[in-house]
Amino acid sequence: GSTCVSWTDNEREIVSSILFDIYKASPGLILNCSYGKKLAIFRVRDARFVASSKARRLTISDVFFHPRMTQRRRHAILHELVHIADPCCEMAYSKDWIEYALPLITDIKSKSKLVLEESRGQFLEWIKLRDGWLSIYASENLREAFAEYICFAIESKAKAHNSKRLFLSSIEDPSDAELKHRLQLSLIAEQIETKQLGLSSKALEEALKCFKQNPCLGYLLAFNYEKKKRKADSLVIGEAAISKFKELGVDSSEEWFDLLLNQQAKLRYEGRQYSKAAELLCLSLTNHPNNKIALCMLSKCLESQGNHCIALQALYRSRGYSPVDESLCIVAKNTPLVMALGTLIERDSQ
């Protein structure tokens, strides 16, 4: 969606200088990002982000070069490089990382809600010292937490801020086998991100080998099978990945897991498996209660099961109205759902 534009000499110099500076601090990270090959860097016109990344691609936007971003440029690039060095989130969704990071993320999220705006700087310093987090944004999800953790480790001269130093050696001193493996994962992600119809047989074979240790590949494989119109295979892989996420203690606040829940719910719904679809949608809605598409689909699933009252509530909410009292929905029990919805919307507007 972003428009690529030509680099100016000054922009090239700024980015090259930052990359060289990062290389001096952590040559292994740069090697990880290119997987022994080349790292593509794009300049785009887009005000929605500072920098972003996908498989073997770093994208820099207009915002990056704004004067107010001068002090944040290095960190923005470093953060995205860590994402690139972890294709398919293999490290960010590993058992070791989840066991370490998830309790901290939950704690920081709950505490940050209570922090006044004028005290956020002090709160940030506290979590920096206690947890090695560079930002409150690091509590957004496991992926962002991992990127910030590695950033802090690279930025810190001591580098031993945490006795575990999780994955730091793998990032800073990758073996040839690790580079080869990550290159293969990056190709899998790249093929899916560019919406190619199906993975090559070699990439698919590699993905299936890694799948049991990496639930994120479950979503990517489920998506791939769906594109190839192999819905049954998509459902099998998707169900296994959902079980793996649950086993690891991950909930739908994590983007990858939530995407998988919604993709699988859609397939179940299309296959008239309304009970299973409703179960998956409820898991997603636990952390995303205003997802209109999920609410609308849930209302249809519940209606098909005869749960007219709850179905009406879900559909009412999916249209952007506040949840209604259950007593108001009793009228819907023997009334077509859409007619009852219209009645309540009219009543709500009076």
Side-chain angles (χ1 to χ4, degrees), residues 41 43 166 321:
I41 306 175
R43 168 75 169 87
L166 292 168
Y321 292 89

Side-chain angles (χ1 to χ4, degrees), residues 64-83:
F64 181 88
F65 297 104
H66 193 281
R68 71 172 183 272
M69 288 299 301
T70 303
Q71 300 302 315
R72 294 171 54 193
R73 287 172 183 162
R74 186 180 189 276
H75 180 75
I77 288 181
L78 182 59
H79 179 99
E80 296 305 327
L81 290 178
V82 176
H83 282 319

Side-chain angles (χ1 to χ4, degrees), residues 18 42 57 134 150 160 165 222 236 252 266 293 304 330 341:
I18 292 171
F42 296 93
R57 297 196 301 280
L134 280 178
I150 296 297
R165 299 179 66 194
V236 170
S252 63
K266 180 174 71 73
I293 294 174
S304 72
I330 295 176
L341 174 65

Side-chain angles (χ1 to χ4, degrees), residues 253-283:
S253 61
E254 287 293 320
E255 180 187 15
W256 284 71
F257 186 29
D258 189 56
L259 288 171
L260 177 61
L261 287 171
N262 281 275
Q263 185 258 2
Q264 291 287 292
K266 180 174 71 73
L267 292 183
R268 298 285 183 185
Y269 173 76
E270 290 171 352
R272 299 180 183 274
Q273 300 175 36
Y274 299 122
S275 179
K276 185 65 177 177
E279 178 189 330
L280 297 173
L281 289 166
C282 285
L283 273 177

Side-chain angles (χ1 to χ4, degrees), residues 314-349:
L315 188 56
Y316 193 76
R317 286 170 56 200
S318 77
R319 295 298 188 269
Y321 292 89
S322 302
V324 293
D325 188 88
E326 187 171 326
S327 62
L328 291 177
C329 293
I330 295 176
V331 296
K333 189 169 184 180
N334 297 308
T335 308
L337 195 58
V338 176
M339 289 177 62
L341 174 65
T343 301
L344 286 180
I345 290 175
E346 185 179 349
R347 186 180 303 172
D348 184 70
S349 64

Side-chain angles (χ1 to χ4, degrees), residues 74-267:
R74 186 180 189 276
H75 180 75
I77 288 181
L78 182 59
H79 179 99
E80 296 305 327
L81 290 178
V82 176
H83 282 319
I84 295 171
D86 185 24
C88 298
C89 305
E90 188 169 52
M91 289 179 273
Y93 284 94
S94 66
K95 185 173 183 291
D96 285 345
W97 178 248
I98 289 171
E99 286 180 351
Y100 169 72
L102 198 55
L104 290 170
I105 290 171
T106 303
D107 183 47
I108 292 169
K109 272 185 177 179
S110 62
K111 285 184 169 64
S112 65
K113 292 175 183 177
L114 305 174
V115 177
L116 298 174
E117 189 62 38
E118 57 267 28
S119 304
R120 289 182 80 80
Q122 187 178 352
F123 178 69
L124 177 57
E125 287 302 314
W126 174 71
I127 61 174
K128 236 189 240 189
L129 291 171
R130 192 196 72 164
D131 304 322
W133 255 231
L134 280 178
S135 67
I136 295 173
Y137 178 60
S139 65
E140 186 74 16
N141 56 48
L142 288 162
R143 288 178 65 248
E144 302 308 335
F146 180 77
E148 291 295 277
Y149 176 92
I150 296 297
C151 283
F152 185 89
I154 291 171
E155 297 278 23
S156 169
K157 291 181 180 179
K159 287 196 177 181
H161 66 282
N162 181 276
S163 59
K164 289 188 177 184
R165 299 179 66 194
L166 292 168
F167 302 104
L168 192 56
S169 61
S170 181
I171 289 287
E172 295 215 297
D173 189 22
S175 66
D176 290 342
E178 285 176 321
L179 286 176
K180 183 179 178 181
H181 171 66
R182 288 172 193 162
L183 173 60
Q184 190 63 56
L185 287 180
S186 75
L187 291 172
I188 292 168
E190 188 173 35
Q191 287 181 39
I192 291 173
E193 286 166 358
T194 53
K195 298 182 180 175
Q196 294 182 30
L197 183 58
L199 298 176
S200 65
S201 58
K202 184 178 179 182
L204 183 57
E205 182 182 346
E206 181 70 19
L208 287 167
K209 280 196 295 185
C210 303
F211 167 61
K212 290 183 179 178
Q213 286 75 42
N214 183 359
C216 287
L217 273 173
Y219 171 70
L220 297 177
L221 287 169
F223 179 91
N224 177 69
Y225 280 134
E226 183 187 6
K227 282 286 184 184
K228 295 172 80 170
K229 303 194 183 304
R230 294 170 58 180
K231 291 188 178 182
D233 290 325
S234 179
L235 288 170
V236 170
I237 285 287
E239 186 168 18
I242 287 170
S243 295
K244 184 65 177 177
F245 272 119
K246 288 179 179 177
E247 179 189 321
L248 291 168
V250 175
D251 64 24
S252 63
S253 61
E254 287 293 320
E255 180 187 15
W256 284 71
F257 186 29
D258 189 56
L259 288 171
L260 177 61
L261 287 171
N262 281 275
Q263 185 258 2
Q264 291 287 292
K266 180 174 71 73
L267 292 183

Side-chain angles (χ1 to χ4, degrees), residues 5-18 41-46 49-51 59-73 76-77:
V5 296
S6 299
W7 294 83
T8 67
D9 291 340
N10 183 53
E11 289 170 352
R12 286 180 187 275
E13 186 177 340
I14 289 171
V15 173
S16 296
S17 175
I18 292 171
I41 306 175
F42 296 93
R43 168 75 169 87
V44 299
R45 180 164 286 116
D46 199 320
F49 62 88
V50 178
T59 302
I60 306 293
S61 81
D62 295 330
V63 181
F64 181 88
F65 297 104
H66 193 281
R68 71 172 183 272
M69 288 299 301
T70 303
Q71 300 302 315
R72 294 171 54 193
R73 287 172 183 162
I77 288 181

